[in-house]
Amino acid sequence: MPDAPVVLGPNQPPQFYRGGAGIARFRGTPQPSAYAPEDWVGSTTSIFSRPGLGLSRLPDGSTLRSAIAAAPDDFLGPDHVARYGADPALLVKILDTGERLVVHFHPDRDFAARHLGSRYGKTEAWIILDASPAACVYLGFKQDTDLAVIRRWVAGQDTAAILGSLNKVPVAAGDTWLVPAGVPHAIGAGITLVELQEPTDFSILLEWAGFLIDGPREGHLGLGFDVALTALDVSGWDERRLDALHAPRPDAAERPFVTRLLPARADAFFRASLVDVAGPVVFEPGYAILVVVVGEGRLAYPTGTLPVRRGSTILVPYGAGPTTFDGHFQALRCRPPVS
């Protein structure tokens, strides 16, 4: 029975873009390669078209997926299992960009159910841990854009036109953004972030020129671009719409012990809070992925204690019971959708 939190080590499957130095600094571990920009934390999800790659392993060598399948109520709690089955319904990543990521987007749940046989799409959220002074992301079209025009840009790999059509948004440490499925986006270079997402690896590319990926073959989830591009949100995202996706950084002097980080509309997909520990903070039983971002301390639970520090990533199963955070640290507490 899983009755204690579990420390999860790095899990960085190779990708087609460069990065990972920020993960190495954050964790205090070696960078496995120049193409290791994503650390899949608490993953029961495989990379698309590469079964098994990306799954998290527990200290005994078993996959988290198989362990949850064997004891779903103990890991996830009965209410969660009643709604989602033996599935955490959540994937957490630490992501670090050594170069700008390609412009891409993800299908929503309706499209994924009709075309990919999945109950999940890939809405995601970004919590910025570190960013270079000029760091930015690209998020949503500036104005309504004709799909026929976008098809021409994609076919001709007109990167200037694709990037130029998107909102360029400066980011800094502490920023959080919700990225709904369908919205085109790219993460600029020099950013380390924690990403919460639905538990899939569904990405559709709008560009790939200059990257180590065969876009015409791998960029459309095997559906062909004629079908895949119908999942794209071609509407314009003005300042008002973007503001609804962005949570302002809380003032450190006013921040409570637990700060909600994402808009309420994210609750159907995942939840995230910043826990600011300067004395005991108690949480009721519940599945969570913790990412310790500052300081050090301990987790106490009915059967023991676990030391934690900056860079630690911890899976807290429902079966661990009530958990007390104590010491002097800050942690992101990432939760599945509301059950």
Side-chain angles (χ1 to χ4, degrees):
M1 174 180 174
D3 60 357
V6 179
V7 176
L8 299 171
N11 175 29
Q12 295 173 255
Q15 302 290 342
F16 65 89
Y17 68 102
R18 292 190 295 270
I23 298 172
R25 290 192 299 270
F26 177 66
R27 279 193 174 277
T29 57
Q31 183 178 355
S33 83
Y35 288 87
E38 300 181 10
D39 188 345
W40 294 34
V41 182
S43 172
T44 60
T45 303
S46 293
I47 292 180
F48 186 79
S49 78
R50 290 186 274 175
L53 194 61
L55 296 177
S56 290
R57 292 194 174 272
L58 300 176
D60 66 3
S62 64
T63 65
L64 176 60
R65 178 193 283 177
S66 64
I68 290 176
D73 283 3
D74 294 333
F75 270 96
L76 304 172
D79 290 343
H80 180 101
V81 172
R83 182 162 185 178
Y84 299 103
D87 185 338
L90 171 69
L91 174 59
V92 176
K93 296 178 182 176
I94 306 172
L95 191 150
D96 175 74
T97 53
E99 60 184 329
R100 177 182 63 79
L101 190 49
V102 297
V103 179
H104 63 293
F105 67 98
H106 310 294
D108 64 15
R109 290 176 175 178
D110 180 64
F111 183 96
R114 286 185 289 112
H115 295 284
L116 297 164
S118 173
R119 71 183 293 182
Y120 302 111
K122 195 184 169 193
T123 287
E124 63 187 41
W126 304 329
I127 303 169
I128 310 297
L129 298 181
D130 192 22
S132 64
C136 68
V137 297
Y138 298 83
L139 188 57
F141 289 115
K142 296 175 184 175
Q143 58 190 23
D144 295 352
T145 305
D146 188 85
L147 186 56
V149 173
I150 297 167
R151 291 184 189 277
R152 290 199 297 271
W153 291 344
V154 173
Q157 282 300 280
D158 190 342
T159 294
I162 294 169
L163 272 183
S165 70
L166 302 177
N167 293 293
K168 183 178 180 180
V169 182
V171 294
D175 288 345
T176 65
W177 287 92
L178 177 66
V179 184
V183 176
H185 59 275
I187 301 169
I191 297 172
T192 306
L193 58 83
V194 170
E195 179 178 275
L196 289 80
Q197 61 172 79
E198 293 183 84
T200 73
D201 189 41
F202 298 151
S203 292
I204 300 167
L205 307 188
L206 296 184
E207 64 156 342
W208 54 81
F211 289 84
L212 296 179
I213 189 168
D214 184 348
R217 185 173 65 87
E218 300 180 66
H220 48 68
L221 300 175
L223 302 173
F225 281 110
D226 283 347
V227 173
L229 289 176
T230 64
L232 178 63
D233 179 356
V234 298
S235 67
W237 284 80
D238 59 18
E239 185 174 353
R240 178 187 60 81
R241 290 189 77 193
L242 287 176
D243 280 348
L245 304 179
H246 178 49
R249 282 169 279 171
D251 187 307
E254 300 177 0
R255 185 167 54 217
F257 289 132
V258 181
T259 303
R260 180 191 181 100
L261 294 179
L262 300 173
R265 64 187 287 189
D267 287 355
F269 305 100
F270 36 65
R271 292 166 287 168
S273 57
L274 176 67
V275 184
D276 201 349
V277 182
V281 182
V282 182
F283 291 96
E284 291 303 306
Y287 181 90
I289 299 294
L290 307 180
V291 181
V292 180
V293 295
V294 175
E296 60 184 21
R298 68 200 63 82
L299 305 182
Y301 46 96
T303 60
T305 61
L306 178 71
V308 300
R309 61 169 180 80
R310 170 181 162 85
S312 297
T313 50
I314 300 112
L315 182 154
V316 181
Y318 176 87
T323 307
T324 300
F325 295 24
D326 200 2
H328 291 83
F329 66 95
Q330 293 176 2
L332 301 177
R333 187 169 183 253
C334 306
R335 304 283 319 280
V338 174
S339 58

